[in-house]
């Protein structure tokens, strides 16, 4: 991991974790078995109250799977327009903090995209290391589901890469992000 600390993507993720209004940053997956990353944190108001904030993927009958940001219990489409973030601040009764809310939502969105870049790169590195294993490499080249090779073994290797990347992201967020005090809310 120490070699990766100098990667540009990792440095950008670390910088995004240092946002002064965000605490307890956690990277996970939206839904069970989902490949979509999500970011959750806590927004610290001017009065010191902590409110859940994040970027996630949700399923709806009308729109299908789509990204949304949320603050407290109020969700909004994951747009990149400040006026959408101001509306979210209004709905959560934080109008006087609308600029801080907008920057925190932008920071959460940035965290999502930076986490995505780091995760993809780490998974690619892990799978390239697996490619050196000749049996695994032959399984990838043959490709078909019914090629007589252990499909579960391939899925397990990919799952290990996914879990290792997620653990690293959460470790970095824990090391470089702020934390709420015990009993903070």
């Amino acid at each position: 991991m120490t070699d990766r600390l100098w990667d540009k993507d990792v440095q950008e993720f670390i910088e995004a974790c240092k946002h002064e209004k965000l605490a307890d940053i956690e990277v996970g997956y939206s839904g069970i078995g989902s490949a979509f990353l999500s970011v959750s944190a806590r927004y610290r108001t001017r009065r010191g109250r902590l409110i859940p904030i994040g970027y996630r993927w949700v399923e709806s009958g009308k729109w299908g799977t789509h990204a949304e940001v949320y603050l407290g219990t109020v969700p909004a489409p994951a747009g990149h327009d400040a006026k959408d973030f101001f509306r979210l601040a209004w709905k959560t009764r934080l109008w006087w903090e609308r600029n801080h809310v907008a920057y925190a939502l932008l920071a959460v969105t940035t965290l999502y995209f930076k986490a995505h870049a780091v995760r993809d790169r780490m998974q690619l590195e892990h799978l390239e290391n697996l490619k050196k294993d000749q049996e695994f490499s032959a399984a990838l080249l043959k490709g078909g589901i019914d090629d007589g090779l252990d499909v579960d073994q391939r899925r397990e290797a990919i799952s290990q890469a996914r879990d290792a990347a997620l653990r690293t992201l959460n470790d970095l967020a824990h090391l470089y992000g702020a934390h709420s005090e015990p009993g903070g809310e």
Side-chain angles (χ1 to χ4, degrees):
M1 183 173 130
T2 55
D3 293 341
R4 282 195 189 94
L5 287 178
W6 302 113
D7 289 348
K8 181 182 177 203
D9 295 331
V10 173
Q11 285 297 314
E12 289 174 353
F13 179 75
I14 289 170
E15 284 304 311
C17 288
K18 294 179 180 179
H19 192 275
E20 71 270 2
K21 291 288 185 176
L22 297 180
D24 303 329
I25 299 167
E26 186 175 336
V27 180
Y29 289 103
S30 299
I32 297 171
S34 176
F36 296 118
L37 280 180
S38 64
V39 175
S40 63
R42 293 187 176 268
Y43 170 75
R44 187 179 311 277
T45 65
R46 289 188 305 178
R47 295 184 180 181
R49 202 169 51 128
L50 295 170
I51 301 172
I53 188 171
Y55 187 104
R56 64 185 173 204
W57 289 83
V58 294
E59 183 79 28
S60 71
K62 184 177 180 181
W63 301 103
T65 302
H66 64 281
E68 71 178 14
V69 291
Y70 62 92
L71 182 64
T73 58
V74 181
H80 300 283
D81 195 3
K83 67 181 179 182
D84 294 334
F85 294 155
F86 289 153
R87 280 191 211 115
L88 200 56
W90 178 261
K91 289 178 183 178
T92 55
R93 298 181 183 166
L94 294 171
W95 180 246
W96 297 108
E97 295 185 42
R98 64 188 174 273
N99 288 334
H100 292 292
V101 169
Y103 284 123
L105 287 166
L106 185 60
V108 166
T109 303
T110 302
L111 270 168
Y112 168 77
F113 287 109
K114 299 302 178 187
H116 224 307
V118 172
R119 181 201 64 172
D120 290 349
R121 188 168 180 182
M122 288 179 65
Q123 285 181 348
L124 184 62
E125 287 174 10
H126 186 74
L127 292 175
E128 283 177 354
N129 288 337
L130 285 174
K131 210 167 57 170
K132 293 173 186 169
D133 177 12
Q134 290 187 3
E135 184 178 325
F136 187 81
S137 185
L140 287 176
L141 289 174
K142 288 185 178 180
I145 296 290
D146 298 325
D147 58 7
L149 296 170
D150 191 1
V151 174
D152 291 332
Q153 181 183 2
R154 287 189 239 168
R155 287 189 182 134
E156 181 64 30
I158 292 168
S159 178
Q160 286 175 355
R162 186 177 176 187
D163 292 343
L166 187 63
R167 268 193 315 274
T168 302
L169 286 169
N170 280 316
D171 288 347
L172 289 171
H174 182 76
L175 286 171
Y176 295 101
H179 306 285
S180 60
E181 300 85 31
E185 184 177 352

